[in-house]
Amino acid sequence: MKRTRTVIVLAIIVILFASALFYLWKKNQEDPITYTSETPTEQTIVVKTVATGSIVPKEEVLIKPNISGVIEEIFIEAGEYIKSGDLIAKIRVIPNVSSLTSAKNNIATTKTALETAKINFKTEEANYNRQKALFEKGVISENEFEGIKNTYLQAKQGVDQAQINVTSALQNYDIIKTGTTSGLGNIAQTQVRATISGMVLDVPVKVGNQVIESNNFNEGTSIASLADIKKMIFEGKVDESEVGKIKEGLPLEITIGAIENKKFDAVLDYIAPKGVAENGAIQFEIKGSIKSLDSTFIRAGLSANASIILEKAENVLAIKEALVQYDSETKKPFVEVEVGNQKFERRDVELGISDGIFVEVKSGVTKSDKIKVWNQIAGIPSYAQK
């Protein structure tokens, strides 16, 4: 019994010894960990946020009529360049029957008032002439004559005012009937003209469409929209998480989807003080003036992206952000610099701005230092990780 137990113990010892020898042999067959290294490079690091939007004219003017009617003729098309004062459209006025009847009655009333005023004036004129002769002979006093004279002058003024009322009634009738009248110039007319020079962006009406005049109670019907296409701006929106990082005056880089391989410089001019909820997120409107378009023709409404430059460091010493380690206690950054074959020493570094891939190194390493790639992926050759 003792002999069997001894054999079992010896067998276990042999197995354990063999296992240990196999483990040591296996470990000896494994390649030692070889760390690769990278050297700092000069980089231009740009920290930016992106806003989506479109290109729109800086000033778009809507041309509206100052009289209601029907479009009789249109003289322009979208895409044309016109000058201030050029004819855009002609309106045919369709008079309102009630207004026309009222205007006719007003003419009759004012003419009657004019005839009455003339009769009164003739009476006062005859009386004035008689009293003047008596005054010159000394029959009546000067005070009495002055009262008669004032009555005469008032009668004369009444005729003049009645004549003005008749003229006004006739003009009002013409305006209601035809849309214009003599003596008013551009105040009321059926010809619509451009108020600025620029390109015609849109003509939303057609011949035969009814249009409404612009007044205090109605914004009126737009006949055309004009804009100077040499003065374009970017109009877009940024998320609430980014709006706190930006401010007026920051540079923008505009890229337009329809124009490949070209960027336009702009300046951020406006940030909306109030956000708008869109798809569950708060968006803030921004606007940026494009500095120069050169000879590039940009159509209004093209979609665009604006890179808002928050920070920029040109030609600075930089390393990949993945090479930086942080002390577990102090949380200060450091790197490991190669000082011999697979021998590294710790160097504390001062970091600058980062774009998420490269980070600026202000101090701690030089351009010739070899920095350890401490988090390389096991099983992947070193040349494939670079």
Side-chain angles (χ1 to χ4, degrees):
M1 187 70 176
K2 290 183 178 179
R3 186 176 180 180
T4 304
R5 186 179 299 174
T6 301
V7 171
I8 292 173
V9 171
L10 290 175
I12 292 172
I13 293 172
V14 171
I15 292 171
L16 292 175
F17 182 73
S19 299
L21 289 177
F22 179 78
Y23 174 77
L24 292 175
W25 176 81
K26 193 70 176 178
K27 287 291 290 182
N28 192 49
Q29 297 300 313
E30 292 181 358
D31 292 332
I33 297 176
T34 303
Y35 289 101
T36 59
S37 60
E38 294 183 5
T39 57
T41 58
E42 282 192 0
Q43 299 283 342
T44 295
I45 301 176
V46 179
V47 181
K48 59 187 179 181
T49 184
V50 178
T52 59
S54 59
I55 304 299
V56 297
K58 186 175 183 179
E59 295 178 356
E60 183 175 348
V61 177
L62 300 177
I63 306 299
K64 299 181 180 183
N66 60 358
I67 197 164
S68 300
V70 175
I71 299 294
E72 187 174 36
E73 194 171 358
I74 297 176
F75 302 97
I76 59 170
E77 290 183 356
E80 292 183 8
Y81 187 87
I82 62 176
K83 296 181 179 180
S84 178
D86 285 354
L87 189 61
I88 291 179
K90 187 176 180 181
I91 299 174
R92 183 178 76 253
V93 176
I94 299 178
N96 182 280
V97 176
S98 177
S99 299
L100 199 61
T101 302
S102 178
K104 284 183 178 180
N105 293 335
N106 190 38
I107 291 174
T109 301
T110 54
K111 285 184 176 180
T112 301
L114 176 60
E115 293 300 323
T116 303
K118 285 181 178 180
I119 293 172
N120 184 50
F121 173 68
K122 288 182 179 180
T123 302
E124 294 299 332
E125 185 179 28
N127 185 44
Y128 170 75
N129 291 331
R130 287 194 303 268
Q131 297 300 323
K132 183 179 180 182
L134 294 174
F135 172 70
E136 290 173 351
K137 294 178 180 180
V139 176
I140 61 175
S141 65
E142 183 178 356
N143 187 41
E144 187 178 355
F145 176 68
E146 285 297 327
I148 295 170
K149 182 179 179 181
N150 288 338
T151 303
Y152 162 73
L153 293 176
Q154 289 174 0
K156 184 178 180 181
Q157 186 178 8
V159 173
D160 294 339
Q161 184 61 48
Q163 185 62 57
I164 293 173
N165 292 341
V166 171
T167 303
S168 177
L170 290 172
Q171 289 179 337
N172 185 52
Y173 177 78
D174 288 342
I175 292 172
I176 293 173
K177 185 178 180 180
T178 66
T180 187
T181 186
S182 60
L184 292 184
N186 294 327
I187 297 177
Q189 60 178 7
T190 57
Q191 293 181 341
V192 182
R193 297 183 179 273
T195 55
I196 65 166
S197 298
M199 177 173 284
V200 181
L201 301 181
D202 186 26
V203 183
V205 296
K206 298 179 180 179
V207 173
N209 287 161
Q210 289 186 338
V211 294
I212 302 173
E213 65 180 281
S214 177
N215 52 48
N216 293 336
F217 305 101
N218 196 301
E219 64 179 7
T221 306
S222 297
I223 294 180
S225 60
L226 307 179
D228 185 355
I229 59 172
K230 293 299 181 182
K231 297 179 181 179
M232 306 293 277
I233 64 171
F234 170 82
E235 194 173 87
K237 293 181 180 179
V238 295
D239 191 79
E240 60 180 326
S241 61
E242 301 291 335
V243 74
K245 303 176 184 178
I246 62 178
K247 60 182 179 180
E248 286 86 354
L250 288 177
L252 306 179
E253 287 184 354
I254 308 296
T255 55
I256 302 173
I259 303 176
E260 297 181 355
N261 304 321
K262 193 163 187 178
K263 293 183 178 180
F264 301 91
D265 293 328
V267 177
L268 183 61
D269 295 326
Y270 171 79
I271 305 172
K274 180 180 179 181
V276 179
E278 289 186 5
N279 300 323
I282 304 299
Q283 302 288 321
F284 289 81
E285 184 183 25
I286 63 170
K287 295 179 182 179
S289 298
I290 300 177
K291 292 182 178 179
S292 176
L293 295 177
D294 301 323
S295 58
T296 306
F297 174 63
I298 300 179
R299 299 181 184 276
L302 287 176
S303 60
N305 292 328
S307 297
I308 307 173
I309 311 300
L310 303 176
E311 291 183 272
K312 188 175 184 179
E314 295 184 353
N315 302 322
V316 295
L317 192 66
I319 61 174
K320 288 182 179 178
E321 195 162 343
L323 302 180
V324 181
Q325 304 179 59
Y326 291 89
D327 190 279
S328 59
E329 295 182 359
T330 64
K331 307 301 180 183
K332 292 183 177 180
F334 70 90
V335 295
E336 293 183 71
V337 178
E338 187 174 11
V339 294
N341 185 23
Q342 290 296 300
K343 293 183 178 180
F344 301 90
E345 70 172 13
R346 170 173 167 165
R347 296 259 188 97
D348 292 333
V349 292
E350 181 183 358
L351 303 179
I353 66 173
S354 169
D355 62 1
I357 299 176
F358 287 95
V359 60
E360 177 188 4
V361 181
K362 294 184 176 180
S363 63
V365 296
T366 64
K367 194 173 183 179
S368 59
D369 287 335
K370 295 181 179 180
I371 300 174
K372 174 183 177 181
V373 181
W374 61 277
N375 55 355
Q376 64 186 25
I377 302 173
I380 298 180
S382 59
Y383 66 83
Q385 298 180 44
K386 294 185 179 180

